[in-house]
Amino acid sequence: MSDSLLNMKAFVATARGGSFSEAARQLRLAPSVVTKRVSQLEWSLKCKLLRRSTRRLQLTEVGERYLETMQHLVREYDEMAAGVKRSPDEIEGQIRIKAPGSPMAIDLCGLLANFQIKYPRITLEAVMVDRTVNPVEEGFDIVLTMMPTSFHGVIEEPLLAFPRVLCAAPSYIACRGQPRHVRDLADHDCLVFAPMGPVWTFDGTSGLTTVAVRPRLVTNNNALLIEALSAGGGIAVVSRTAMTPRLRSGALVEVLPEVLVPDLWVKALVPSTRANLARVQTLLSVIRDAFRAVADGQPARLAAS
């Protein structure tokens, strides 16, 4: 590998790790070597890529602009050096995957663990976090998300539809009354799942209607949302499948049953530049099959051999 690529690799690792010491740990080098390589890169480009302080490192505006390009160059070189044209049983290399921290109907942790057993040459970096991620900008191969956001240069693959329902506890309805129209929700206490935001969309006889609700609770924890809902804390949009037992028992009641809450889709986001890699396609196929099994009412498993 040329000095330029080594220097770019040091910069990318530092930008990701947030420090020279973390980059050194990832690259198995001395921190002084990583610092020197980043300095050499800055000297060759005639610009500062990192803002150094005693507490942390920050990307400069130029560094942010160059990071994506350098990530791409480093990864392309690594792919070429590793030899990506292998049979499926010989796939190797690193896969970076991001998924929500909240459950998604499949046992993703078990799936990834078994995937590594089946493909021992694969190194996985899995990030579980409930926030919107652009896989191109943050260097992910696969992003599993329920967010409606789209990105340039990213392929979207729908995986599973989650039916949703607007509901509340009978105690809340007895206290505050039943809304007569979706617009009335603006005057009610609403419980908001943070990743979805406080703007709710409904499909009725007159078409799509969007309402900005007044959150009484905002949380990224689904269990807390359901507890607050069941306790009579307000109205929420939740998974119909998960709430069916409570709706049948009367612990919850449907609000405005004549309007439809659009399905929430789990989808995979894959950068177009990564979509044809054998290892990415192999993992994506496994994930696709797992969601298909859930849709068919079957347990989703990956054989370890």
Side-chain angles (χ1 to χ4, degrees):
M1 187 183 293
S2 70
D3 287 345
S4 295
L5 276 165
L6 288 171
N7 294 344
M8 283 190 279
K9 199 163 192 174
F11 168 65
V12 169
T14 303
R16 274 197 200 155
S19 69
F20 291 122
S21 57
E22 176 60 22
R25 188 189 65 78
Q26 292 177 17
L27 298 174
R28 298 181 181 179
L29 297 170
S32 59
V33 173
V34 176
T35 304
K36 182 179 178 181
R37 286 181 178 175
V38 173
S39 296
Q40 287 175 339
L41 181 62
E42 290 177 322
W43 180 85
S44 65
L45 294 173
K46 302 295 187 292
C47 63
K48 285 290 182 185
L49 301 173
L50 295 168
R51 217 175 272 113
R52 298 157 174 81
S53 72
T54 55
R55 303 180 105 185
R56 60 175 181 167
L57 293 175
Q58 273 187 318
L59 286 169
T60 64
E61 188 175 337
V62 176
E64 289 179 354
R65 194 163 64 241
Y66 281 167
L67 179 59
E68 181 184 336
T69 300
M70 291 187 194
Q71 282 178 327
H72 178 73
L73 289 171
V74 168
R75 295 182 79 173
E76 286 297 310
Y77 178 87
D78 288 344
E79 299 295 352
M80 181 183 68
V84 294
K85 292 186 178 179
R86 300 176 181 270
S87 68
D89 291 335
E90 294 178 322
I91 63 170
E92 67 176 23
Q94 185 184 46
I95 302 175
R96 297 190 76 228
I97 180 171
K98 177 267 175 190
S102 305
M104 291 186 306
I106 67 170
D107 178 12
L108 184 64
C109 294
L111 183 149
L112 293 177
N114 286 330
F115 183 82
Q116 282 202 293
I117 293 172
K118 187 169 184 177
Y119 301 103
R121 295 180 179 178
I122 290 293
T123 300
L124 281 173
E125 181 180 343
V127 177
M128 311 296 187
V129 61
D130 287 317
R131 67 175 176 86
T132 303
V133 169
N134 182 335
V136 174
E137 289 183 355
E138 300 199 32
F140 286 100
D141 299 295
I142 300 172
V143 167
L144 300 180
T145 182
M146 291 183 283
M147 300 296 103
T149 314
S150 297
F151 302 101
H152 177 70
V154 175
I155 298 169
E156 297 186 14
E157 179 172 345
L159 296 170
L160 183 69
F162 278 86
R164 295 186 295 166
V165 62
L166 185 70
C167 60
S171 59
Y172 176 84
I173 298 299
C175 178
R176 297 293 303 277
Q178 179 81 252
R180 296 179 179 275
H181 190 276
V182 293
R183 289 190 295 269
D184 295 341
L185 292 172
D187 297 321
H188 277 265
D189 294 333
C190 293
L191 311 175
V192 174
F193 187 52
M196 305 316 304
V199 179
W200 293 353
T201 300
F202 304 93
D203 194 357
T205 54
S206 57
L208 291 176
T209 303
T210 300
V211 180
V213 301
R214 182 184 67 198
R216 186 181 180 196
L217 169 71
V218 179
T219 178
N220 66 350
N221 185 288
N222 201 46
L224 173 58
L225 183 75
I226 293 170
E227 283 300 316
L229 174 67
S230 301
I235 300 173
V237 174
V238 288
S239 163
R240 180 178 287 276
T241 303
M243 293 301 103
T244 293
R246 300 188 191 213
L247 289 167
R248 285 177 178 167
S249 69
L252 294 175
V253 294
E254 192 165 351
V255 176
L256 298 170
E258 68 278 7
V259 300
L260 175 69
V261 183
D263 290 346
L264 186 63
W265 277 88
V266 178
K267 58 185 179 179
L269 307 181
V270 182
S272 55
T273 56
R274 316 292 296 167
N276 292 325
L277 294 178
R279 64 176 178 272
V280 173
Q281 277 300 317
T282 302
L283 178 54
L284 190 59
S285 177
V286 169
I287 292 170
R288 188 186 297 122
D289 289 345
F291 276 106
R292 188 179 295 123
V294 170
D296 293 340
Q298 303 170 10
R301 292 191 179 93
L302 172 67
S305 59

